[in-house]
Amino acid sequence: MTESTPEDTVATTRGRRDDDPTVGTPDDVVARVSSSGSSVLRAAASAVVGSREPLRLALAAVLAGGHVLFEDMPGLGKTLAARSLAQALGLPFRRLQCTPDLMPSDVTGSSIFDPVERSFEFRPGPIFTGLLLADEINRTSPKTQSALLEAMAEGQVSVEGGTRELPTPFHVFATSNPVEFEGTYPLPEAQLDRFLVRLEFGYPSAEDEAGIVGLRLARGLREPVVPPVLTAHGLAGLQADLATVPVSADVTAYAVRLAAATRSLDAVQVGASPRGSQALVLLGRAVAALDGRAYVLPEDIKSVAVPVLAHRLVLSPAAWARGVDAKDLVRRVASEVAVPATSPATAP
């Protein structure tokens, strides 16, 4: 896939057209989301071996309108997964290598003086795209991270005293290395909270690793290319359709209890915010739709609790010193909070 130009990106459609068909029933919506999602995952899996669950959750996060943080060891396919999903989704894709000397204008763009026209012309930065991969995001300075935060939170950037809207859909996939801390700037809690999920790949099995090596040998020097399944406009339509699928009050209350329970843990200084409970419901609905269901079960919420909530917890200094893992705390909360008896028969 060739990277898009800023001009192509700015022209990206901003949602459903007036002449588009009606959304249909929740069952119709889910059938479209499930069918398209399966095709996207099959296409991405042609380049990414043995990481179906992280890919599935990343796709669900995109369908829910969120941003994704991949945090894992080097060489486990984080960048490849982001690029492959962008190609399969038909989104314009730009990759930004984050470094300590990266300035906000390197992300947002800036005005360049045209001596012929004797005027300034704005040149959009790489953030004007459909899917931005911020590689090693924790290596860039807080000043530059703040520019990304505004884009993730508001869908716009502030440039030279004004604001410019970003195209829709707009998503950020960021990678972070959890073992190298020299020359890094930890992400502030406000920015971590803007990522719908934080995902890990883990080391592949011996069989999957052999498959990875085999694919690398088969393609030679060529970069892996994933055929597009959707377009940016088609993805925006699926996102809008998915937003119409209802979620039962019992499931919503369960998500709220899970998020609230993290705030009373002794090892936690700051628990998950209300944005965390929203993320649980939004991602749970997307996961249910990918599974072909027009209703959300408590098990959908529980299954995404760790990737949704763990990165939102701020551990107390004593817990951090003891090496307490936020993921284990979320698993404990999920095992202790009572699960409502919502079934397909009672779900909307």
Side-chain angles (χ1 to χ4, degrees):
M1 173 182 175
T2 58
E3 293 189 351
S4 63
T5 65
E7 291 74 20
D8 292 334
T9 301
V10 172
T12 299
T13 181
R14 300 190 65 84
R16 183 179 294 281
R17 293 191 299 261
D18 293 337
D19 60 346
D20 277 354
T22 56
V23 170
T25 67
D27 286 334
D28 295 333
V29 169
V30 165
R32 289 196 294 271
V33 172
S34 178
S35 175
S36 298
S38 297
S39 298
V40 168
L41 288 176
R42 281 197 301 271
S46 66
V48 184
V49 178
S51 300
R52 181 171 178 81
E53 187 59 20
L55 284 175
R56 176 173 170 269
L57 289 178
L59 173 59
V62 170
L63 290 171
H67 309 287
V68 179
L69 175 62
F70 293 116
E71 186 174 274
D72 216 325
M73 305 298 180
L76 295 183
K78 301 184 293 294
T79 301
L80 177 61
R83 182 184 293 112
S84 299
L85 273 178
Q87 292 174 338
L89 291 169
L91 290 177
F93 175 79
R94 302 294 295 275
R95 179 178 180 270
L96 180 68
Q97 183 61 52
C98 296
T99 57
D101 60 348
L102 194 71
M103 298 299 293
S105 59
D106 296 327
V107 179
T108 62
S110 60
S111 293
I112 306 297
F113 183 72
D114 186 342
V116 177
E117 299 293 334
R118 301 187 64 83
S119 62
F120 285 91
E121 177 187 1
F122 179 71
R123 301 287 180 85
I127 204 167
F128 287 87
T129 188
L131 195 153
L132 175 71
L133 172 60
D135 225 347
E136 296 188 286
I137 190 173
N138 58 330
R139 289 200 177 277
T140 196
S141 67
K143 190 174 184 178
T144 303
Q145 288 177 5
S146 68
L148 288 169
L149 175 59
E150 180 188 7
M152 294 167 63
E154 308 296 338
Q156 66 180 29
V157 293
S158 296
V159 183
E160 299 168 350
T163 59
R164 293 178 180 267
E165 286 192 356
L166 297 172
T168 300
F170 169 74
H171 299 277
V172 172
F173 280 9
T175 69
S176 178
N177 186 341
V179 294
E180 288 188 51
F181 298 106
E182 185 176 352
T184 63
Y185 304 86
L187 291 179
E189 284 73 20
Q191 188 159 342
L192 282 172
D193 203 33
R194 291 293 177 180
F195 286 103
L196 191 70
V197 289
R198 181 179 65 182
L199 302 176
E200 300 175 355
F201 284 88
Y203 286 104
S205 66
E207 181 181 358
D208 287 338
E209 191 164 355
I212 293 171
V213 175
L215 278 179
R216 178 64 183 84
L217 294 174
R219 73 169 188 263
L221 298 178
R222 293 177 288 111
E223 288 294 323
V225 177
V226 173
V229 175
L230 297 174
T231 63
H233 178 75
L235 174 60
L238 288 179
Q239 292 172 329
D241 289 350
L242 183 61
T244 67
V245 177
V247 180
S248 72
D250 286 345
V251 170
T252 299
Y254 175 59
V256 170
R257 291 199 302 273
L258 276 178
T262 64
R263 303 165 198 159
S264 58
L265 296 172
D266 293 337
V268 172
Q269 192 170 20
V270 179
S273 70
R275 191 175 289 120
S277 53
Q278 294 176 58
L280 283 172
V281 173
L282 293 174
L283 191 65
R285 178 171 62 183
V287 166
L290 287 176
D291 286 344
R293 287 184 281 105
Y295 53 87
V296 184
L297 295 174
E299 286 73 16
D300 296 320
I301 306 297
K302 189 174 182 177
S303 69
V304 300
V306 171
V308 166
L309 297 179
H311 66 286
R312 304 176 193 272
L313 305 186
V314 179
L315 301 181
S316 67
W320 182 84
R322 295 198 310 269
V324 174
D325 191 337
K327 296 190 290 294
D328 292 335
L329 295 178
V330 175
R331 293 188 188 101
R332 192 180 87 190
V333 165
S335 67
E336 294 175 351
V337 174
V339 178
T342 300
S343 66
T346 61

